[in-house]
Amino acid sequence: MHHHIPSDIPVRYLPRDKTMNTVAGAMFVVGLLAFVFQLSQNAHGAWISYVTNWMFFSSIAMGSVMFAIATWIVKAKWNWSVRRVSQAGGAFLPVAFVLLLPMLTLGADYFPWIEMMGYDYIVQKKAAYLNLPFLITRNVIGAMILFGLGTYFVYLAVRPDMGLTEGAEEDDEGRASWRGKLTQGWMGQEQEEVSSYQRMTVLGPAIVLVYAFVMTIFSYDWAMSLEPHWFSTMFGPWYFMGAFWGGVTVTGLWSIYLRTKHKDMQNLIGLQQRHDLGKLTFAFTVFWGYLFFSQYIVIWYGKLPWEQAWIVRRSGEVWGSYSTMVVCMCFFIPFIGLIGRKPKMVPKVYGVFASIIMLGLWLERYGMVAPSLHHEGDPIFTIWQPLIGLMFLGLYLGSVRWFLSTFPVIQVWQPMQDPESLEAELPAEMQGPAGVAGD
């Protein structure tokens, strides 16, 4: 399919909004106070809320960057006007790394295997992996590499735009300051675009591998290890593909929001982009259901007690209704709601189902952790979970809004056109205009 990319792309930013900045700041303060208060009342519950919110917000931030990387690798053209929207998740990655550090102070109150290591034969056999020094090391190094590479990829995507934004209609002192920081060692517009293109093309596939590996570590350490006898080889893919799905969906939600902020954004983030984002959101709804069922069916027909513990705990009397709600919000509702063509293309309809998906993923992350650490008689869900989540939501909204108001919402420079491999091998006299093979 042909996708028309204008030769002259306007430089547009998300308007700076003091009210929204105040709202994001208030969310952070309320969430932080809620966390501190809950620490003094119920530290166990406070840390469950902290960890699960970190898992969700770091997932959608990294997932949206991975969406930008994946479409770059396959040389997608349809998303030319929403590339920067996906890249905006990179602004939260340094924050996510800082928020990870307090989690590394957790001990036996969070990790049951620490106490079990003294008497449980099966857990003792896992001591090479289940020990705090190695856990801290792999999480710090893994997060530094993954979040660092993701941030660097976004930097490479933004840098060439800096040569095209000087003197733009909406330029201001803050944007000029960042332009100065990002253009140190400037080599010229054409050379910068070629350099970024080549580096991003090489870096992209490497980040995909690092993403799968590090996100799997996160899922094993902060969720799966809480049931030390239980394991699933599908757990990592379920976690990191859920993050990717969240990245696609949040790109769609931000795109809908941005279209209301300027006529140019409304025109350039058009029907084609909305339809394709809707199709991908629907496709990964099905894929999430596939991964969930693939993990469940093997456990179900195997009927081995140590394989069933994780599922039994989440499908019993206490957590069964909660798990059913998660499955409905992550699969049945969006599957039914987005199955037609129209819901994917109507912003308000898509926005409703995309929001349900995001809420479902947030609840899913909580369901990965909380049942494993639940004490009999305690409530399964309290107001403190969303209140502490406000701290993360405020930081996420603040960082993404800062990014989109500092750098062009729509990527101004566009990647060079690579010749197809077959055409590149043909002699020049056998190629038509622009490298297209002749008859």
Side-chain angles (χ1 to χ4, degrees):
M1 179 181 291
H2 175 70
H3 301 284
H4 174 67
I5 303 176
S7 57
D8 185 18
I9 298 174
V11 178
R12 294 288 177 259
Y13 302 89
L14 176 64
R16 301 191 189 278
D17 190 331
K18 291 183 179 179
T19 301
M20 287 303 300
N21 291 340
T22 301
V23 170
M27 287 180 177
F28 169 72
V29 172
V30 170
L32 179 60
L33 291 176
F35 176 63
V36 172
F37 178 80
Q38 184 69 345
L39 271 180
S40 65
Q41 303 296 312
N42 178 12
H44 181 71
W47 280 113
I48 291 175
S49 296
Y50 186 101
V51 171
T52 53
N53 276 292
W54 182 87
M55 290 170 67
F56 172 75
F57 284 98
S58 64
S59 288
I60 62 171
M62 193 64 227
S64 65
V65 173
M66 277 306 307
F67 179 43
I69 293 171
T71 53
W72 183 272
I73 292 172
V74 300
K75 305 187 190 311
K77 298 295 182 184
W78 67 267
N79 69 325
W80 67 271
S81 60
V82 295
R83 284 195 186 107
R84 184 60 44 78
V85 182
S86 300
Q87 296 162 7
F92 183 73
L93 296 181
V95 180
F97 179 78
V98 173
L99 292 172
L100 169 67
L101 299 180
M103 293 161 50
L104 301 177
T105 64
L106 293 174
D109 287 342
Y110 184 84
F111 298 109
W113 47 263
I114 294 178
E115 181 180 346
M116 296 170 66
M117 196 65 69
Y119 61 83
D120 192 294
Y121 175 77
I122 295 176
V123 176
Q124 290 170 353
K125 289 293 185 181
K126 302 179 180 183
Y129 186 85
L130 294 180
N131 64 82
L132 281 179
F134 187 33
L135 182 144
I136 294 170
T137 301
R138 63 181 175 258
N139 274 267
V140 170
I141 294 177
M144 286 180 65
I145 293 174
L146 177 61
F147 296 164
L149 288 175
T151 305
Y152 181 60
F153 185 91
V154 173
Y155 160 76
L156 291 174
V158 169
R159 181 177 165 97
D161 271 2
M162 298 297 95
L164 301 171
T165 58
E166 189 170 1
E169 178 184 344
E170 300 176 0
D171 201 13
D172 62 23
E173 185 177 343
R175 291 160 186 158
S177 174
W178 275 98
R179 183 167 56 247
K181 295 174 183 177
L182 296 182
T183 53
Q184 295 181 10
W186 187 258
M187 300 179 293
Q189 185 63 39
E190 183 177 355
Q191 192 170 349
E192 287 291 342
E193 291 185 12
V194 172
S195 175
S196 281
Y197 175 81
Q198 292 175 341
R199 292 184 184 186
M200 291 167 71
T201 301
V202 172
L203 193 61
I207 298 178
V208 172
L209 298 177
V210 174
Y211 171 79
F213 182 72
V214 175
M215 293 292 278
T216 297
I217 289 176
F218 290 159
S219 69
Y220 284 1
D221 287 349
W222 301 104
M224 195 173 78
S225 74
L226 305 182
E227 304 260 5
H229 287 187
W230 184 81
F231 62 90
S232 170
T233 55
M234 292 294 292
F235 201 81
W238 182 32
Y239 182 83
F240 66 69
M241 288 310 300
F244 186 83
W245 179 33
V248 173
T249 307
V250 81
T251 297
L253 287 172
W254 276 110
S255 298
I256 291 172
Y257 171 73
L258 291 168
R259 292 182 76 249
T260 66
K261 295 302 176 181
H262 198 284
K263 186 177 180 180
D264 285 340
M265 297 182 202
Q266 184 177 8
N267 293 334
L268 297 176
I269 304 176
L271 189 64
Q272 180 66 61
Q273 284 74 34
R274 300 202 307 275
H275 191 201
D276 286 346
L277 283 168
K279 287 186 286 187
L280 284 170
T281 303
F282 175 78
F284 282 101
T285 297
V286 178
F287 191 61
W288 182 93
Y290 161 76
L291 288 174
F292 175 81
F293 187 73
S294 296
Q295 184 170 227
Y296 174 80
I297 192 66
V298 175
I299 294 171
W300 178 79
Y301 70 63
K303 293 185 178 179
L304 299 175
W306 58 88
E307 289 187 354
Q308 293 178 325
W310 197 87
I311 295 293
V312 167
R313 193 185 299 273
R314 286 157 178 80
S315 59
E317 181 180 353
V318 177
W319 288 92
S321 298
Y322 182 94
S323 300
T324 301
M325 180 176 64
V326 169
V327 173
C328 287
M329 296 182 73
C330 287
F331 180 69
F332 289 109
I333 294 175
F335 178 83
I336 295 170
L338 294 174
I339 199 168
R341 185 170 184 264
K342 187 176 180 180
K344 302 180 181 74
M345 303 168 71
V346 178
K348 289 183 179 179
V349 177
Y350 173 82
V352 168
F353 289 107
S355 298
I356 290 172
I357 289 170
M358 298 306 293
L359 180 58
L361 282 172
W362 179 68
L363 293 172
E364 179 218 50
R365 292 303 193 244
Y366 181 76
M368 286 182 169
V369 172
S372 301
L373 300 176
H374 181 251
H375 297 149
E376 187 176 354
D378 289 347
I380 65 171
F381 192 90
T382 69
I383 190 63
W384 298 106
Q385 173 69 9
L387 282 178
I388 293 173
L390 288 177
M391 174 172 61
F392 292 83
L393 179 60
L395 290 171
Y396 172 78
L397 292 177
S399 58
V400 173
R401 282 190 57 85
W402 167 83
F403 182 90
L404 293 173
S405 62
T406 304
F407 307 111
V409 167
I410 297 172
Q411 187 168 306
V412 183
W413 78 282
Q414 294 297 319
M416 56 197 292
Q417 181 68 46
D418 273 351
E420 296 297 332
S421 56
L422 175 61
E423 296 163 7
E425 295 173 1
L426 293 174
E429 60 271 14
M430 295 181 63
Q431 299 184 16
V436 179
D439 294 332

